[in-house]
Amino acid sequence: MIGMEGKTLRSERLAYRLLAESDKPALRAILSDRAVTEPAGFLPAETDEAFDKFFAHLTQYNTALGIYLGDTLIGYIHVNRYRGGGEYAEKSCVDTGFVIGKAYQNCGYATETLRTLTAYLKQRFNFCFADCFLTNEPSRRVIERCGYRYVEDYTMHFRALGREETCHSYVY
């Protein structure tokens, strides 16, 4: 869907490629911290089997890119088809979500990643969306810094968290 098979995308400090089986241990370590996963709408996997299932779901459509600083996996960005209504109903749209490991937060990597991937995706799709929880100020700042404009707030139930959250939705 996003055309990254066999490709590596690069920005000033980072590289991006489809997540591979060899990335599982590093990704499992990044996603073992609730403070990292909860703002993204899920909790750390409790078992290896649960993580394997999560990883298989994440990578099944070749839309999850690892974010690499040198040879080190520092997070991932995931792209999903967006099926919106109104002016977006007949357009080709995607939605992105990103997770950066705790040790690499507040270094500008999320901004660099979202800018780079947005530029790539805009060559293939009419619109890119990015959403974040109302309470997730760091992600909101990244999304706005990358030129996304606010569309609306919506509330939905996040089964993995066991609660409803209100989210900001942005479009580029």
Side-chain angles (χ1 to χ4, degrees):
M1 174 180 92
I2 63 172
M4 284 295 296
E5 294 82 354
K7 294 181 185 175
T8 298
L9 191 60
R10 298 190 186 284
S11 60
E12 183 180 336
R13 301 174 292 172
L14 304 170
Y16 316 90
R17 64 170 170 73
L18 291 176
L19 282 171
E21 194 73 21
S22 60
D23 294 317
K24 280 174 76 171
L27 188 61
R28 169 87 192 224
I30 290 167
L31 300 181
S32 67
D33 185 344
R34 184 179 179 132
V36 171
T37 63
E38 193 167 3
F42 61 97
L43 298 175
E46 293 183 7
T47 66
D48 288 340
E49 182 179 276
F51 184 77
D52 288 346
K53 185 176 179 181
F54 169 85
F55 189 84
H57 179 74
L58 180 66
T59 59
Q60 71 182 338
Y61 298 116
N62 291 329
T63 58
L65 301 174
I67 303 166
Y68 303 88
L69 178 61
D71 292 331
T72 303
L73 180 70
I74 66 167
Y76 76 92
I77 187 163
H78 190 238
V79 181
N80 293 300
R81 256 202 215 287
Y82 178 86
R83 291 181 181 25
E87 69 180 285
Y88 307 108
E90 300 301 320
K91 303 292 183 181
S92 176
C93 304
V94 289
D95 182 57
T96 61
F98 52 89
V99 176
I100 302 291
K102 190 73 162 171
Y104 301 97
Q105 293 178 1
N106 300 309
C107 299
Y109 297 131
T111 301
E112 187 173 333
T113 295
L114 188 58
R115 278 190 180 135
T116 301
L117 196 63
T118 298
Y120 173 79
L121 292 171
K122 281 297 290 174
Q123 296 172 28
R124 303 178 67 86
F125 300 95
N126 299 117
F127 295 97
C128 297
F129 287 82
D131 299 354
C132 65
F133 289 165
L134 184 70
T135 57
N136 189 341
E137 281 299 307
S139 287
R140 182 194 59 76
R141 287 192 303 270
V142 166
I143 293 166
E144 290 177 354
R145 194 177 303 124
C146 290
Y148 282 72
R149 86 176 152 75
Y150 171 81
V151 176
E152 66 181 349
D153 284 347
Y154 63 90
T155 300
M156 68 181 278
H157 182 79
F158 285 79
R159 187 170 34 118
L161 299 178
R163 66 176 186 261
E164 283 191 350
E165 287 283 347
T166 298
C167 301
H168 291 309
S169 183
Y170 294 85
V171 66
Y172 190 98

